[in-house]
Amino acid sequence: MAEQQKNTWKFGKRDIVFLAIIVAVVIALLLGTTERKTIAVPSDDVHRTATSKAACMACHDSAGVYPQPSTHTKMERCFLCHTQPKGWVGAPK
Ligand code: HEC
Ligand code: HEC
């Protein structure tokens, strides 16, 4: 008669450590996705009512009153990176 193997799984100390690491990683990822790292668009009337790239670039191209850095991306959608001003009047994303 073979001796019955004892292989019932018990929740041990190492499992707690493992779980804690997973929880920490998940929390870190969640926090990382909500935090914007780019400069926000100011919440003023000028920025609430500018609704096209052309409008933005009238002030922010190299000849404008507040040029972008020369290394800045040429991408179209400013709000992909810069947080929208509160109450922006343009189309929802
Ligand atoms: C009429 C001119 C004008 C228009 C149009 C305009 N801006 Fe601005 N913008 C400025 C000026 C001037 C500043 C800097 C002063 C300030 O903070 O208001 C500024 C600041 C910013 C800043 C923050 C810079 C910093 O150092 O904090 C961002 C980002 C920005 N604008 C993006 C945009 C985007 C995106 C649009 C289009 C939706 C836009 N701007 C349209 C004049 C303009
Ligand atoms: C791919 C992400 C991205 C997009 C899209 C983007 N920006 Fe930026 N922008 C940045 C980053 C990052 C900075 C910080 C300065 C740098 O490193 O170039 C910046 C800086 C700026 C600044 C200067 C702020 C300062 O204080 O010097 C202005 C103005 C600006 N962006 C306007 C715009 C406008 C207008 C658009 C749309 C046409 C736009 N950005 C689209 C990432 C982006």
Side-chain angles (χ1 to χ4, degrees):
M1 229 205 305
E3 205 177 296
Q4 185 120 27
Q5 247 202 313
K6 223 187 166 195
N7 58 0
T8 37
W9 185 70
K10 269 203 188 160
F11 199 81
K13 206 173 174 183
R14 292 174 65 189
D15 300 304
I16 294 174
V17 171
F18 184 63
L19 265 181
I21 291 171
I22 291 178
V23 168
V25 168
V26 168
I27 289 175
L29 287 175
L30 285 177
L31 290 179
T33 52
T34 50
E35 185 192 324
R36 296 269 190 133
K37 289 166 187 71
T38 322
I39 306 154
V41 175
S43 287
D44 54 24
D45 281 341
V46 163
H47 290 93
R48 261 191 294 277
T49 52
T51 56
S52 66
K53 183 184 179 184
C56 305
M57 296 316 282
C59 296
H60 290 297
D61 74 4
S62 56
V65 291
Y66 197 91
Q68 291 170 336
S70 56
T71 54
H72 192 276
T73 174
K74 303 284 178 276
M75 279 171 67
E76 295 289 320
R77 300 176 59 189
C78 312
F79 299 133
L80 221 49
C81 302
H82 297 283
T83 315
Q84 266 178 359
K86 285 195 178 65
W88 188 62
V89 302
K93 275 184 273 190

